[in-house]
Short mmCIF file of all heavy atoms in Angstrom, two decimals:
data_model
loop_
_atom_site.label_atom_id
_atom_site.label_comp_id
_atom_site.label_asym_id
_atom_site.label_seq_id
_atom_site.Cartn_x
_atom_site.Cartn_y
_atom_site.Cartn_z
N PRO C 9 5.41 3.30 -13.88
CA PRO C 9 6.04 2.96 -12.58
C PRO C 9 6.27 1.43 -12.49
O PRO C 9 5.54 0.67 -13.08
CB PRO C 9 5.04 3.46 -11.50
CG PRO C 9 3.74 3.62 -12.29
CD PRO C 9 4.06 3.91 -13.68
N MET C 10 7.25 1.11 -11.78
CA MET C 10 7.71 -0.31 -11.63
C MET C 10 6.57 -1.21 -11.12
O MET C 10 6.45 -2.25 -11.62
CB MET C 10 8.87 -0.29 -10.71
CG MET C 10 10.02 0.53 -11.04
SD MET C 10 11.41 -0.58 -11.39
CE MET C 10 12.20 -0.62 -9.76
N TYR C 11 5.81 -0.72 -10.16
CA TYR C 11 4.71 -1.54 -9.58
C TYR C 11 3.65 -1.87 -10.61
O TYR C 11 3.12 -2.98 -10.65
CB TYR C 11 4.16 -0.93 -8.38
CG TYR C 11 3.34 0.34 -8.54
CD1 TYR C 11 2.08 0.31 -8.92
CD2 TYR C 11 4.04 1.52 -8.17
CE1 TYR C 11 1.30 1.45 -9.10
CE2 TYR C 11 3.16 2.70 -8.39
CZ TYR C 11 1.84 2.63 -8.82
OH TYR C 11 1.14 3.76 -9.01
N ARG C 12 3.50 -0.90 -11.51
CA ARG C 12 2.59 -1.22 -12.65
C ARG C 12 3.04 -2.13 -13.64
O ARG C 12 2.35 -3.01 -14.16
CB ARG C 12 2.05 0.18 -13.19
CG ARG C 12 0.64 -0.02 -13.77
CD ARG C 12 0.10 1.32 -14.14
NE ARG C 12 0.00 2.23 -13.05
CZ ARG C 12 0.12 3.59 -13.13
NH1 ARG C 12 0.40 4.25 -14.25
NH2 ARG C 12 0.06 4.40 -12.09
N VAL C 45 13.05 -5.25 -6.51
CA VAL C 45 12.34 -4.06 -5.84
C VAL C 45 12.13 -4.30 -4.39
O VAL C 45 12.31 -5.42 -3.87
CB VAL C 45 10.91 -3.85 -6.58
CG1 VAL C 45 11.10 -3.52 -8.01
CG2 VAL C 45 10.10 -5.09 -6.38
N SER C 46 11.57 -3.28 -3.67
CA SER C 46 11.30 -3.37 -2.28
C SER C 46 10.04 -4.18 -2.12
O SER C 46 9.20 -4.33 -2.98
CB SER C 46 11.25 -1.92 -1.73
OG SER C 46 10.03 -1.38 -2.13
N THR C 49 6.95 -2.04 -3.03
CA THR C 49 6.66 -2.02 -4.52
C THR C 49 6.05 -3.36 -4.95
O THR C 49 5.09 -3.34 -5.72
CB THR C 49 7.90 -1.76 -5.36
OG1 THR C 49 8.54 -0.49 -4.91
CG2 THR C 49 7.64 -1.65 -6.78
N GLN C 67 -3.41 -14.14 4.40
CA GLN C 67 -2.37 -13.92 5.43
C GLN C 67 -1.82 -15.32 5.88
O GLN C 67 -2.56 -16.18 6.20
CB GLN C 67 -2.85 -13.14 6.70
CG GLN C 67 -1.79 -12.84 7.58
CD GLN C 67 -2.30 -11.95 8.69
OE1 GLN C 67 -3.49 -11.66 8.91
NE2 GLN C 67 -1.43 -11.31 9.50
N GLY C 68 -0.53 -15.37 5.76
CA GLY C 68 0.12 -16.60 6.25
C GLY C 68 0.04 -17.75 5.06
O GLY C 68 0.86 -18.76 5.14
N LYS C 69 -0.72 -17.56 4.03
CA LYS C 69 -0.82 -18.58 2.99
C LYS C 69 -0.18 -18.10 1.72
O LYS C 69 0.81 -18.87 1.23
CB LYS C 69 -2.29 -18.82 2.69
CG LYS C 69 -2.91 -19.75 3.76
CD LYS C 69 -4.37 -19.90 3.53
CE LYS C 69 -4.71 -20.87 2.42
NZ LYS C 69 -6.04 -21.06 2.24
P DT F 8 2.35 6.77 -9.05
OP1 DT F 8 2.12 6.30 -10.47
OP2 DT F 8 1.45 6.18 -8.00
"O5'" DT F 8 3.79 6.51 -8.60
"C5'" DT F 8 4.79 6.92 -9.47
"C4'" DT F 8 6.17 6.56 -8.84
"O4'" DT F 8 6.37 7.46 -7.51
"C3'" DT F 8 6.40 5.20 -8.43
"O3'" DT F 8 7.63 4.68 -9.08
"C2'" DT F 8 6.50 5.25 -6.98
"C1'" DT F 8 7.09 6.68 -6.66
N1 DT F 8 6.78 7.27 -5.43
C2 DT F 8 7.81 7.64 -4.56
O2 DT F 8 8.97 7.70 -5.12
N3 DT F 8 7.59 8.19 -3.46
C4 DT F 8 6.22 8.39 -2.88
O4 DT F 8 6.13 8.78 -1.66
C5 DT F 8 5.19 7.77 -3.60
C7 DT F 8 3.74 7.88 -3.17
C6 DT F 8 5.52 7.24 -4.87
P DA F 9 7.96 3.15 -9.04
OP1 DA F 9 8.69 2.86 -10.24
OP2 DA F 9 6.65 2.40 -8.74
"O5'" DA F 9 8.87 2.98 -7.81
"C5'" DA F 9 10.09 3.69 -7.75
"C4'" DA F 9 10.77 3.58 -6.41
"O4'" DA F 9 10.07 4.49 -5.53
"C3'" DA F 9 10.71 2.24 -5.78
"O3'" DA F 9 11.95 1.51 -5.76
"C2'" DA F 9 10.26 2.44 -4.23
"C1'" DA F 9 10.28 4.03 -4.22
N9 DA F 9 9.35 4.61 -3.30
C8 DA F 9 8.03 4.48 -3.43
N7 DA F 9 7.32 5.09 -2.53
C5 DA F 9 8.34 5.52 -1.61
C6 DA F 9 8.37 6.23 -0.41
N6 DA F 9 7.26 6.63 0.25
N1 DA F 9 9.48 6.60 0.16
C2 DA F 9 10.63 6.27 -0.58
N3 DA F 9 10.74 5.65 -1.63
C4 DA F 9 9.58 5.26 -2.15
P DC F 10 12.05 0.10 -5.25
OP1 DC F 10 12.96 -0.50 -6.23
OP2 DC F 10 10.79 -0.43 -4.92
"O5'" DC F 10 12.95 0.30 -3.92
"C5'" DC F 10 14.30 0.85 -3.98
"C4'" DC F 10 14.69 1.56 -2.66
"O4'" DC F 10 13.82 2.53 -2.38
"C3'" DC F 10 14.73 0.63 -1.48
"O3'" DC F 10 15.79 -0.18 -1.45
"C2'" DC F 10 14.56 1.55 -0.34
"C1'" DC F 10 13.80 2.79 -0.90
N1 DC F 10 12.36 2.82 -0.56
C2 DC F 10 12.14 3.44 0.68
O2 DC F 10 12.99 3.99 1.29
N3 DC F 10 10.85 3.49 1.25
C4 DC F 10 9.86 2.93 0.60
N4 DC F 10 8.60 2.98 0.97
C5 DC F 10 10.21 2.23 -0.67
C6 DC F 10 11.38 2.10 -1.18
P DG F 11 15.89 -1.46 -0.57
OP1 DG F 11 17.11 -2.15 -0.63
OP2 DG F 11 14.63 -2.24 -0.84
"O5'" DG F 11 15.73 -0.97 0.92
"C5'" DG F 11 16.71 0.00 1.44
"C4'" DG F 11 16.25 0.39 2.90
"O4'" DG F 11 15.07 0.99 2.82
"C3'" DG F 11 16.15 -0.85 3.80
"O3'" DG F 11 17.02 -0.76 4.84
"C2'" DG F 11 14.70 -0.80 4.36
"C1'" DG F 11 14.24 0.63 4.04
N9 DG F 11 12.75 0.72 3.77
C8 DG F 11 12.16 0.26 2.62
N7 DG F 11 10.88 0.41 2.68
C5 DG F 11 10.61 0.90 3.96
C6 DG F 11 9.50 1.19 4.67
O6 DG F 11 8.35 1.10 4.17
N1 DG F 11 9.73 1.70 5.91
C2 DG F 11 10.93 1.82 6.52
N2 DG F 11 10.90 2.46 7.66
N3 DG F 11 12.01 1.65 5.83
C4 DG F 11 11.93 1.12 4.53
P DA F 13 15.46 -3.08 11.87
OP1 DA F 13 16.50 -2.73 12.86
OP2 DA F 13 15.72 -4.33 10.98
"O5'" DA F 13 14.01 -3.26 12.57
"C5'" DA F 13 13.34 -2.21 13.12
"C4'" DA F 13 11.99 -2.60 13.42
"O4'" DA F 13 11.28 -2.48 12.24
"C3'" DA F 13 11.83 -3.93 14.12
"O3'" DA F 13 11.44 -3.86 15.33
"C2'" DA F 13 10.74 -4.59 13.26
"C1'" DA F 13 10.16 -3.54 12.35
N9 DA F 13 9.77 -3.85 11.13
C8 DA F 13 10.51 -4.41 9.98
N7 DA F 13 9.83 -4.77 8.90
C5 DA F 13 8.54 -4.32 9.23
C6 DA F 13 7.26 -4.32 8.49
N6 DA F 13 7.26 -4.80 7.20
N1 DA F 13 6.22 -3.82 9.13
C2 DA F 13 6.37 -3.40 10.31
N3 DA F 13 7.44 -3.24 11.11
C4 DA F 13 8.44 -3.79 10.46
P DC F 14 11.47 -5.12 16.28
OP1 DC F 14 11.91 -4.63 17.76
OP2 DC F 14 12.19 -6.24 15.71
"O5'" DC F 14 10.01 -5.61 16.48
"C5'" DC F 14 8.97 -4.71 16.79
"C4'" DC F 14 7.62 -5.18 16.27
"O4'" DC F 14 7.74 -5.20 14.91
"C3'" DC F 14 7.15 -6.46 16.74
"O3'" DC F 14 5.97 -6.36 17.50
"C2'" DC F 14 6.89 -7.26 15.50
"C1'" DC F 14 6.80 -6.09 14.39
N1 DC F 14 7.10 -6.53 12.99
C2 DC F 14 6.04 -6.39 12.06
O2 DC F 14 4.89 -6.00 12.45
N3 DC F 14 6.30 -6.86 10.83
C4 DC F 14 7.38 -7.28 10.51
N4 DC F 14 7.83 -7.75 9.26
C5 DC F 14 8.48 -7.45 11.46
C6 DC F 14 8.27 -6.98 12.71
P DA F 15 5.33 -7.63 18.21
OP1 DA F 15 4.87 -7.29 19.54
OP2 DA F 15 6.22 -8.93 17.94
"O5'" DA F 15 4.03 -7.85 17.21
"C5'" DA F 15 3.13 -6.75 17.04
"C4'" DA F 15 2.01 -7.14 16.11
"O4'" DA F 15 2.36 -7.39 14.79
"C3'" DA F 15 1.33 -8.51 16.64
"O3'" DA F 15 -0.10 -8.46 16.51
"C2'" DA F 15 1.90 -9.45 15.58
"C1'" DA F 15 2.05 -8.74 14.40
N9 DA F 15 3.18 -9.09 13.56
C8 DA F 15 4.53 -9.22 13.72
N7 DA F 15 5.27 -9.56 12.77
C5 DA F 15 4.33 -9.76 11.71
C6 DA F 15 4.50 -10.15 10.48
N6 DA F 15 5.63 -10.42 9.79
N1 DA F 15 3.45 -10.07 9.57
C2 DA F 15 2.31 -9.86 10.19
N3 DA F 15 2.01 -9.46 11.40
C4 DA F 15 3.10 -9.43 12.17
P DA F 16 -0.98 -9.50 17.08
OP1 DA F 16 -2.20 -8.84 17.56
OP2 DA F 16 -0.24 -10.44 18.00
"O5'" DA F 16 -1.34 -10.35 15.68
"C5'" DA F 16 -2.10 -9.68 14.70
"C4'" DA F 16 -2.30 -10.70 13.61
"O4'" DA F 16 -1.00 -10.98 12.78
"C3'" DA F 16 -2.80 -12.08 14.06
"O3'" DA F 16 -3.85 -12.59 13.12
"C2'" DA F 16 -1.65 -12.92 14.02
"C1'" DA F 16 -0.87 -12.37 12.70
N9 DA F 16 0.59 -12.63 12.77
C8 DA F 16 1.52 -12.42 13.74
N7 DA F 16 2.72 -12.62 13.42
C5 DA F 16 2.53 -12.96 12.19
C6 DA F 16 3.68 -13.27 11.13
N6 DA F 16 4.89 -13.39 11.47
N1 DA F 16 3.28 -13.44 9.93
C2 DA F 16 1.97 -13.39 9.65
N3 DA F 16 0.90 -13.04 10.34
C4 DA F 16 1.33 -12.89 11.72
P DA F 17 -4.78 -13.73 13.56
OP1 DA F 17 -6.19 -13.26 13.52
OP2 DA F 17 -4.27 -14.33 14.76
"O5'" DA F 17 -4.57 -14.72 12.37
"C5'" DA F 17 -4.55 -14.30 11.03
"C4'" DA F 17 -3.92 -15.31 10.12
"O4'" DA F 17 -2.55 -15.22 10.13
"C3'" DA F 17 -4.36 -16.76 10.36
"O3'" DA F 17 -4.84 -17.41 9.08
"C2'" DA F 17 -3.02 -17.43 10.80
"C1'" DA F 17 -1.96 -16.52 10.29
N9 DA F 17 -0.80 -16.38 10.96
C8 DA F 17 -0.55 -16.03 12.32
N7 DA F 17 0.67 -16.00 12.56
C5 DA F 17 1.38 -16.30 11.50
C6 DA F 17 2.79 -16.47 11.26
N6 DA F 17 3.71 -16.26 12.28
N1 DA F 17 3.13 -16.77 10.09
C2 DA F 17 2.25 -16.98 9.06
N3 DA F 17 0.84 -16.81 9.10
C4 DA F 17 0.54 -16.54 10.44
P DT F 18 -5.32 -18.89 9.11
OP1 DT F 18 -6.39 -18.98 8.18
OP2 DT F 18 -5.46 -19.39 10.56
"O5'" DT F 18 -4.04 -19.68 8.46
"C5'" DT F 18 -3.54 -19.13 7.36
"C4'" DT F 18 -2.21 -19.75 7.05
"O4'" DT F 18 -1.05 -19.41 8.03
"C3'" DT F 18 -2.35 -21.37 7.17
"O3'" DT F 18 -2.09 -21.97 5.83
"C2'" DT F 18 -1.17 -21.77 8.12
"C1'" DT F 18 -0.25 -20.42 8.10
N1 DT F 18 0.53 -20.23 9.46
C2 DT F 18 1.88 -20.17 9.48
O2 DT F 18 2.48 -20.39 8.47
N3 DT F 18 2.47 -19.98 10.58
C4 DT F 18 1.75 -19.75 11.76
O4 DT F 18 2.40 -19.48 12.85
C5 DT F 18 0.42 -19.82 11.73
C7 DT F 18 -0.54 -19.58 13.03
C6 DT F 18 -0.22 -20.07 10.56
P DT F 19 -2.13 -23.52 5.68
OP1 DT F 19 -2.69 -23.77 4.26
OP2 DT F 19 -2.75 -24.11 6.80
"O5'" DT F 19 -0.58 -23.80 5.65
"C5'" DT F 19 0.28 -22.97 4.82
"C4'" DT F 19 1.73 -23.43 5.11
"O4'" DT F 19 2.14 -23.07 6.40
"C3'" DT F 19 1.96 -25.03 5.10
"O3'" DT F 19 2.98 -25.30 4.16
"C2'" DT F 19 2.17 -25.38 6.52
"C1'" DT F 19 2.90 -24.07 6.97
N1 DT F 19 2.70 -23.87 8.48
C2 DT F 19 3.89 -23.59 9.15
O2 DT F 19 4.92 -23.52 8.82
N3 DT F 19 3.48 -23.32 10.53
C4 DT F 19 2.37 -23.40 11.16
O4 DT F 19 2.33 -23.08 12.39
C5 DT F 19 1.23 -23.63 10.43
C7 DT F 19 -0.19 -23.71 11.01
C6 DT F 19 1.45 -23.86 9.01
#
Side-chain angles (χ1 to χ4, degrees):
Chain C
M10 302 241 274
Y11 68 81
R12 206 170 301 149
V45 294
S46 70
T49 301
Q67 190 173 9
K69 288 174 69 179

